[in-house]
Amino acid sequence: MLAPVMQHRALSILLPVFALPAFASDYKKDIQPIFKKHCYECHSEERNKRKAGLVFDDLHTLANDIGPNGQVVPGNLEDSHLYEVITNDTGAKNHMPPSSKAQLSNGDIKKVETWIKSGAFLVNPASAKVQGLGQPPRKWRNKENKEIEASFVKIDGDKVVFRMPGGALAPYPIANLTADSQIQVHKALLVAAGEKPMDTK
Ligand code: HEC
């Protein structure tokens, strides 16, 4: 059995390797530049183009489409309709971008795949600041329909870390939350990262 000091030292050697995996992917860094080029023309808050109700520039609006009922289902390519329409046959009616436009490269598609598989976060969870005790408490609901009131603190892997009313930190699997609460997790991450909603005219 390791002495506590030894354990601590062993951890500090391991953490830098695992806390910042080189394959981490987030929308803002890896996907937004691709979508700006290929999708904003028809899906942009700023350009007042909201085909199918989808925009890819305003992250707070895009968050509404991330989760089990959204266009992007984190960790699940098969259920992600957005992934389907960029990988289906160019001749398919709902193929994106439309066949008359420049198409995504295989590398672009691979990046979208990696992003969805790694949790479909809009910004890098590691870049978000933990604000004091966390954000103001709000209600969260899980798929068993249990409701808790807790503060969003941060994202840790595939879990959201809540602060409970008594002060304890409680990591909880994001996938076990309802669709609406999952959207709220993605929005809370944007707030923690200082991402403001775009001004809509
Ligand atoms: C030239 C305009 C245009 C461009 C560029 C474009 N889209 Fe679309 N998109 C549309 C239209 C129009 C619809 C609605 C299509 C429909 O309902 O049949 C749509 C619908 C969608 C849908 C919903 C599909 C469905 O079956 O309801 C998704 C997801 C989507 N687009 C993603 C993208 C992505 C990702 C890109 C860029 C890689 C993109 N679009 C580029 C015009 C465009």
Side-chain angles (χ1 to χ4, degrees):
M1 162 111 186
L2 291 169
V5 174
M6 284 291 290
Q7 277 180 355
H8 182 77
R9 184 170 303 161
L11 265 182
S12 62
I13 290 164
L14 289 176
L15 273 178
V17 178
F18 294 109
L20 293 170
F23 53 83
S25 171
D26 68 80
Y27 179 81
K28 195 176 176 182
K29 172 168 68 72
D30 303 298
I31 309 301
Q32 197 161 26
I34 300 169
F35 282 11
K36 183 175 188 176
K37 195 166 146 202
H38 290 279
C39 321
Y40 279 22
E41 181 187 341
C42 308
H43 300 280
S44 154
E45 195 70 56
E46 198 178 3
R47 299 187 197 184
N48 208 1
K49 293 283 164 69
R50 303 181 185 86
K51 298 292 181 193
L54 266 179
V55 297
F56 295 117
D57 52 355
D58 180 46
L59 303 185
H60 286 261
T61 305
L62 180 54
N64 293 318
D65 269 294
I66 298 189
N69 301 336
Q71 293 282 348
V72 174
V73 184
N76 189 333
L77 287 181
E78 241 165 60
D79 289 349
S80 293
H81 190 64
L82 182 147
Y83 187 74
E84 186 190 328
V85 299
I86 62 170
T87 52
N88 61 6
D89 197 276
T90 325
K93 212 171 155 228
N94 61 1
H95 179 75
M96 291 291 143
S99 56
S100 59
K101 303 285 171 181
Q103 296 296 298
L104 298 184
S105 69
N106 288 341
D108 293 339
I109 290 171
K110 191 77 201 165
K111 282 184 186 169
V112 175
E113 184 183 322
T114 303
W115 169 60
I116 294 175
K117 280 183 176 166
S118 63
F121 295 111
L122 292 168
V123 292
N124 183 349
S127 73
K129 298 239 171 4
V130 177
Q131 297 156 323
L133 292 177
Q135 292 174 13
R138 53 161 293 133
K139 293 201 165 83
W140 307 88
R141 194 177 281 277
N142 72 8
K143 286 178 173 167
E144 285 89 58
N145 214 24
K146 287 203 181 101
E147 194 177 74
I148 60 162
E149 187 157 315
S151 304
F152 172 93
V153 177
K154 62 175 179 174
I155 304 285
D156 185 4
D158 59 358
K159 298 191 177 68
V160 49
V161 179
F162 292 127
R163 187 177 300 280
M164 304 305 289
L169 291 177
Y172 192 81
I174 298 169
N176 289 3
L177 295 169
T178 59
D180 185 58
S181 285
Q182 288 190 40
I183 289 168
Q184 297 311 323
V185 167
H186 287 274
K187 290 191 177 184
L189 172 61
L190 292 176
V191 171
E195 287 288 339
K196 304 220 159 48
M198 285 174 71
D199 275 337
T200 45
K201 289 137 239 150

